[in-house]
Amino acid sequence: MKPVQFGVVAMSVLLTACNTLPEGRWQEVGPASPITLDIKNDRIAANAGCNRLIGSVKMYGDQLVVEQLASTLMMCHGEAAKKEEALKQLLGDKPRVQMSGDQLILSTNTSSYVFNKQPNMEDGVTRFIYVAPEKTQCTGIAPMECLQIRESEEDPWTLFYGNIEGFEFTPGTAYRLRIKEFDVPNPPADASSKRWILDLVVEQEWVDNQ
């Protein structure tokens, strides 16, 4: 994870300190597997690509204070484990909250993270999909690798050419995901009319193919 340096951000946008809870769904800007935050009714749910972290949240001045943080118990490996530890550190350090339109910045003495406001997840269509542990060769605009997905364990695998926002695929790991589907108004001719956003990693399992 490469935190965005606050000094650079402050030069490019006009920021205002925030002393009210920034409710909504927020997604980190930049990484292929971004942190997501869901803040509503004094509760926060956070995910960095593996476990779901849940706790109570309040504003004290311009600081976000998270308490009673609990976590699901999936095993996280490699970069995913490092990102999750960094997320726990961020939430535990009472970050300062700053807002600029639909952009949220959480900053501590050592780092700063930038988030963009996301659609209301309650407005999306809920879908559950399985993701195969290996990608396969496919051809879109150019040759590429596609995820293999299906909605039921009895269904054959189908190629998925698009992107699941907030999801980072690790080869050798099988997943079951809960996603939210949104319509994309006036999509380009070569783009999907649907937008998929990761809502929850329901299950993940390392598959030994040897």
Side-chain angles (χ1 to χ4, degrees), residues 11-196:
M11 294 174 63
S12 60
V13 296
L14 179 62
L15 305 177
T16 57
C18 178
N19 55 16
T20 58
L21 201 61
E23 292 201 345
R25 182 177 178 88
W26 304 91
Q27 181 172 287
E28 185 187 9
V29 177
S33 178
I35 293 171
T36 59
L37 306 174
D38 288 284
I39 302 173
K40 185 177 181 180
N41 298 331
D42 297 329
R43 300 290 296 173
I44 185 170
N47 187 282
C50 188
N51 282 294
R52 186 174 178 87
L53 310 178
I54 302 172
S56 60
V57 62
K58 295 180 180 180
M59 290 294 297
Y60 286 95
D62 63 352
Q63 288 183 292
L64 189 78
V65 179
V66 178
E67 299 175 330
Q68 300 176 332
L69 190 66
S71 172
T72 54
L73 300 176
M74 293 187 292
M75 293 294 294
C76 306
H77 302 282
E79 189 63 26
K82 294 178 182 178
K83 290 176 64 175
E84 185 163 296
E85 285 304 312
L87 174 57
K88 291 178 181 178
Q89 184 70 42
L90 172 68
L91 297 179
D93 281 348
K94 300 178 182 179
R96 186 182 180 210
V97 177
Q98 293 175 289
M99 299 288 296
S100 175
D102 284 340
Q103 192 169 83
L104 164 69
I105 296 176
L106 300 182
S107 57
T108 67
N109 291 334
T110 58
S111 62
S112 189
Y113 296 80
V114 182
F115 300 84
N116 281 339
K117 191 73 173 284
Q118 297 298 297
N120 185 348
M121 297 296 276
E122 295 179 357
D123 294 337
V125 176
T126 300
R127 298 183 65 175
F128 289 88
I129 62 168
Y130 293 90
V131 179
E134 300 296 338
K135 291 184 178 181
T136 189
Q137 294 293 323
C138 59
T139 302
I141 299 176
M144 56 188 286
E145 287 190 327
C146 288
L147 293 174
Q148 301 178 83
I149 68 169
R150 60 188 179 189
E151 296 196 26
S152 168
E153 291 185 294
E154 290 73 37
D155 294 337
W157 293 109
T158 60
L159 298 178
F160 180 69
Y161 293 85
N163 173 51
I164 302 174
E165 297 178 31
F167 173 60
E168 182 175 6
F169 174 78
T170 300
T173 302
Y175 300 88
R176 188 170 188 236
L177 308 178
R178 185 176 74 200
I179 63 170
K180 291 290 187 174
E181 181 179 270
F182 297 87
D183 290 327
V184 176
N186 304 315
D190 58 351
S192 173
S193 63
K194 302 294 183 181
R195 178 184 181 187
W196 281 12

